[in-house]
Amino acid sequence: QNFMNMGRGFGQNTQNLYNQASQDMLGNAVSYATNPDNYSGLVNSAMRDSRRNLNENTLRNIDMNAAASGNANSSRAGIAGAVAQRAFDDRQADVTSNIQSNLMDRSLNSQQSRLDNMTNANQNLGNLYNSGFNQGTMSNEQMLNAGGILQKDLQNQLQF
């Protein structure tokens, strides 16, 4: 009876699991991956060397070359700086997209793993319930058999 009491919630759990499984897991993953709190630190870390190279080398060299040729603040230097910035921005967009894709995969895998674990645990509860039910049935059969044996013994005593 205790086994049945512990495992009896498995039916309701199955309904809850069904409700969770029918949720938009991809939508959850997209929301997780596109939240700046979840990806911005990773992007900043991945872009650290590129940002340093842009600011310390590329833009500095463009400015120094323009100044050395007497063309400081020229449109040519401005265009070169803008092109370098655009290349950096393109790289950052690619890195961000890559990181967000990885975060979506991670979220989907995590959601599926969680659902699988909960389903397995619920199946174990169902098995526990069935064990309790089967033990109750076996106990009833054994008591009936014992009663039949006792009755047969009493009947034999009366006959002899």
Side-chain angles (χ1 to χ4, degrees):
Q1 185 176 357
N2 285 341
F3 281 174
M4 291 177 70
N5 287 337
M6 285 187 277
R8 72 177 164 195
F10 78 95
Q12 181 63 40
N13 292 346
T14 301
Q15 179 64 47
N16 291 339
L17 289 168
Y18 174 81
N19 292 339
Q20 289 182 40
S22 63
Q23 289 180 0
D24 182 11
M25 288 188 183
L26 182 58
N28 292 341
V30 169
S31 293
Y32 172 75
T34 57
N35 181 342
D37 292 339
N38 296 330
Y39 74 83
S40 61
L42 297 170
V43 171
N44 289 340
S45 294
M47 293 300 297
R48 176 184 58 234
D49 291 338
S50 296
R51 180 173 286 108
R52 187 178 300 133
N53 186 48
L54 174 70
N55 292 326
E56 293 177 4
N57 296 323
T58 306
L59 294 178
R60 185 173 155 258
N61 287 341
I62 290 170
D63 290 343
M64 285 177 50
N65 289 339
S69 66
N71 293 315
N73 297 323
S74 70
S75 60
R76 180 177 285 175
I79 290 172
V83 169
Q85 183 65 50
R86 182 184 67 193
F88 173 82
D89 292 344
D90 287 349
R91 169 142 170 70
Q92 184 168 338
D94 292 343
V95 166
T96 300
S97 174
N98 228 0
I99 287 173
Q100 287 176 325
S101 178
N102 289 340
L103 287 174
M104 279 187 265
D105 289 344
R106 183 182 299 166
S107 176
L108 286 170
N109 289 336
S110 175
Q111 290 177 74
Q112 187 60 52
S113 178
R114 180 176 171 268
L115 190 59
D116 290 345
N117 289 340
M118 289 173 21
T119 299
N120 289 336
N122 195 51
Q123 286 172 342
N124 290 338
L125 281 177
N127 292 340
L128 181 65
Y129 180 85
N130 286 333
S131 288
F133 185 81
N134 291 336
Q135 286 180 1
T137 301
M138 285 180 0
S139 295
N140 288 338
E141 288 174 5
Q142 289 172 354
M143 285 189 292
L144 287 172
N145 288 339
I149 292 169
L150 182 59
Q151 181 184 7
K152 187 173 184 176
D153 182 50
L154 289 174
Q155 186 68 38
N156 285 339
Q157 287 177 20
L158 290 174
Q159 287 178 354
F160 298 110

